[in-house]
Amino acid sequence: MSKIMGKAYEIPAFSQHLNDFCDYDRGPHLVKTGYARRYRFRFCNPLMEPFVLMKGYSSGLIKNLD
């Protein structure tokens, strides 16, 4: 998120967005595993990850993954 927005973000700034993508209202596109303060997220559909990357490249949000 920091690279896309162009400024530094800490984990609390985008953790709510990740949680929203686990709910049925916004997806669900992500699956949350783990326990409090140690959650890990993965895509429900394995084809979603390359789609998100391609969409980011084509829209200019992602220029380089370095």
Side-chain angles (χ1 to χ4, degrees), residues 21-64:
F21 283 116
C22 294
D23 292 338
Y24 285 99
D25 295 338
R26 303 268 323 249
H29 296 291
L30 296 177
V31 175
K32 180 168 60 170
T33 58
Y35 50 93
R37 299 185 179 271
R38 298 287 301 202
Y39 291 118
R40 300 198 44 117
F41 296 89
R42 63 179 177 83
F43 286 100
C44 292
N45 182 349
L47 294 176
M48 187 58 97
E49 183 176 359
F51 171 77
V52 169
L53 290 173
M54 288 188 299
K55 188 71 171 172
Y57 281 124
S58 67
S59 65
L61 289 174
I62 300 174
K63 292 179 179 56
N64 195 349

